[in-house]
Each structure stands twice: as C-alpha cells, then as structure tokens.
Amino acid sequence: MSRIRMVGAAVTGIALALSLAACGADEDPLAQETGAASSGGAVTVGSANFAESELLAEIYSQALESKGVEVKRSFNIGARELYLKALNDGSIDLLPEYNGALLAALSTGGAPEGVSKPEDVLGALKKVLPAGTEVLEQSTAEDKDTLTVTAETAAKHSLKTIEDLKAVAGQLTIGAGPEWGERYQGLKGLKEVYGVEFKEFKPLDAGGPLTVNALKGGQIDVANIFSTDSSIVTNKFVVLEDPKSLYLAENIIPLIRTEAKNDTVAGALNAVSAKLTTENLTSYLAQVQVDKKDTATVAKAFLTENGLV
C-alpha cells in the first residue's frame, strides 16, 4: 500500500515471526543487540527501513538520552515482519509505529470494518498486541492516505474537503497505485462514502514520484499522496480533508517491550508524542529528504525547538 504499510503479505510473515520467537527459534543477527532487560537498563531503539521511521527513532533516542537513559540504536531493520520479530525476541526494545498499519498487520483479515478514527484504532490495536509489548501515548501526527491537489485546482473548483469533489470529479483524473482501483480506501470507498466518481483513474505508484510528477505536470488532477510526504510542502499542494474518515488513522505511536518501560522512559516518549504533529513532522522530514540534512541534526532541532531538551 505504501512504504510504511506493506501489510498485505506481512500478516503471515508476522505470525511466523511471532511463533518462532515463542518457540525459541535460532538466533538471528539482530539478536547481537540485546534488549533492556539484559543490558543493564539500556534501551535499544529500532526503526524500519525508510527515512521517516529513522528520523522518529532518532528523536526517541535523543529524548531518552536527554533524561539519562542509555540508548543503543538498531535502525534500518527492514519491513514490519522483520522489526516485529526483533521486538519480540528482545533484539530491540522500542520503535515508532503507525496505529492503523500495525492494527491491520496484526489482525486476521486486516483492520476491523468501521474502525478508522484514532481512538477506535488505538482501542482495537491494544487488543491484538503481542504478549510482552504495549503502546504508549499516540501523537496527532499521521502518515496516512490523502487526496491531494495543486493549489490551482483547489482554487479553480473551491476544493477544501473530499466531499467538495463530488460536484466536479466527473471532470477530473485521479492517479494512485494500481491496487487503488479495487481497494475500499480507494475508488470503491470514495464512491460509497462520498459519492465521488472520477472521469478517469490512472494507475501509477503508491504516493511515489510517478504520482507526484503526474500531479505537478497536469497529467492527473487528484493524487493519492501520503500525508507527511515532503512533496506536499515543496510544491504547495493542498491536502483535502476527510470529514467522513474514509482513511484509517495512522497516528505515530511508540511500540515498546513492557520490560523496557519505566516512568522515565514513558515520560520522555509521551512528551515527544505530545509535540509531534503531521505539520511539524512533514517540515522536519523535508529537511532530511529535500535539504539532505543529517538525521541526528534534524532530530536535535525538533527536540530543542519544542522544548524537550
């Protein structure tokens, strides 16, 4: 679905990983980094293999270090099935997650129908978390599906919400990943929830450069782009609001081994979540992706500018 939401084939891999961990499977290379319980109180922070996850993990790491917590870093582990195995076998203790994607990955058949709002997603997620793990406070920051248009298109058609598309969608072309044509949180859901039907659907990529460039070049009028993508800021695109919550919440949330949590750790991470918004994460991520700044430098700037260090 996206770089952070590769859940379709992940459920089987995750189930296998959890069962292997439960059965005492052979050590894997990640096990060289031990968890908090066996490393004298150190917390090993992990991340997935994309820039936003690594930035968030570095923010978590520096926030903990500022409170005197010893931190080990094990970033760029890979896809969800790999880093959840690392979490369950104690190779890592903590990492940033996305509530909706994690819920979908851990739930047989994907996220429960009708569950889309942040608090509903969080409640459902807590019921399916692997034993020995928990989540802390979730942020308002999300990296989720959006329908995005250029500023010119928004002005021309007076577009502020997805609902506003209903009157003009028959004149417009939408671009997204190929699976979007059959996905409920794609064309099917837009028709069912909002009554929106487009003139044409162009299968491109999942919020990637093909879709972004097609929107910039006028080959499409509406694009499925993910909410923290730096292209939104750099191109001054307009993200249409989703008042009927078609798209599953994807709030960023710390996922942690219970044995690694204490008041100091939880307090530091919850303080980060309280300051993290979609807007500021988008801005700081652009400093990494567009300005090519070092992740540690950008993480320190986030913590300093938000009064967390």
Side-chain angles (χ1 to χ4, degrees):
M1 177 173 169
S2 79
R3 62 189 187 282
I4 64 172
R5 295 196 278 280
M6 296 178 288
V7 300
V11 176
T12 301
I14 291 168
L16 176 61
L18 299 186
S19 64
L20 287 174
C23 295
D26 294 339
E27 286 188 8
D28 73 51
L30 285 168
Q32 295 173 4
E33 293 286 348
T34 55
S38 58
S39 61
V43 174
T44 301
V45 182
S47 84
N49 58 340
F50 57 91
E52 180 175 288
S53 182
E54 186 171 339
L55 175 59
L56 290 165
E58 183 61 31
I59 289 172
Y60 287 177
S61 297
Q62 292 188 27
L64 292 173
E65 288 172 334
S66 75
K67 301 301 181 184
V69 178
E70 182 184 351
V71 171
K72 296 181 179 180
R73 291 162 172 79
S74 184
F75 296 172
N76 200 34
I77 293 171
R80 183 167 280 109
E81 62 266 32
L82 295 177
Y83 64 65
L84 285 186
K85 182 179 185 297
L87 186 74
N88 275 274
D89 68 19
S91 303
I92 61 173
D93 300 301
L94 163 71
L95 76 158
E97 254 292 6
Y98 301 84
N99 60 1
L102 184 58
L103 172 62
L106 295 175
S107 303
T108 302
E113 188 174 344
V115 174
S116 61
K117 296 181 180 179
E119 292 308 315
D120 295 337
V121 171
L122 179 60
L125 174 60
K126 288 180 177 180
K127 296 176 183 178
V128 296
L129 286 172
T133 67
E134 56 189 279
V135 289
L136 301 179
E137 293 180 12
Q138 65 185 12
S139 69
T140 62
E142 295 186 86
D143 188 358
K144 65 185 294 184
D145 288 278
T146 74
L147 290 192
T148 295
V149 298
T150 63
E152 293 76 13
T153 297
K156 178 180 179 181
H157 298 291
S158 300
L159 300 177
K160 293 183 179 179
T161 75
I162 297 174
E163 210 157 23
D164 296 333
L165 284 168
K166 185 175 181 179
V168 297
Q171 309 167 36
L172 305 178
T173 297
I174 187 168
E179 72 283 356
W180 229 67
E182 298 299 325
R183 187 154 48 90
Y184 181 78
Q185 290 180 320
L187 298 185
K188 289 184 176 181
L190 285 169
K191 180 179 179 180
E192 181 177 322
V193 176
Y194 286 106
V196 169
E197 295 185 75
F198 289 95
K199 177 182 71 175
E200 183 183 356
F201 167 59
K202 284 193 175 182
L204 298 168
D205 56 8
L210 292 178
T211 301
V212 171
N213 288 333
L215 184 62
K216 287 170 60 178
Q219 288 82 36
I220 61 175
D221 306 293
V222 184
N224 173 223
I225 299 176
F226 305 109
S227 58
T228 61
D229 194 299
S230 58
S231 69
I232 294 173
V233 174
T234 55
N235 294 288
K236 298 181 179 179
F237 291 155
V238 175
V239 174
L240 302 181
E241 295 177 14
D242 179 19
K244 296 184 179 180
S245 299
L246 171 62
Y247 298 118
L248 190 67
E250 295 291 357
N251 297 79
I252 293 162
I253 192 167
L255 175 62
I256 190 169
R257 287 173 62 85
T258 300
E259 66 180 16
K261 191 190 81 169
N262 58 36
D263 290 345
T264 301
V265 169
L269 297 173
N270 288 339
V272 169
S273 291
K275 293 291 186 179
L276 199 60
T277 67
T278 302
E279 293 74 21
N280 66 25
L281 178 58
T282 301
S283 176
Y284 286 106
L285 183 60
Q287 293 181 40
V288 174
Q289 293 183 312
V290 179
D291 301 335
K292 307 302 180 184
K293 291 184 180 180
D294 177 69
T295 299
T297 300
V298 176
K300 183 176 181 180
F302 170 85
L303 293 168
T304 301
E305 291 165 15
N306 285 280
L308 296 173
V309 293

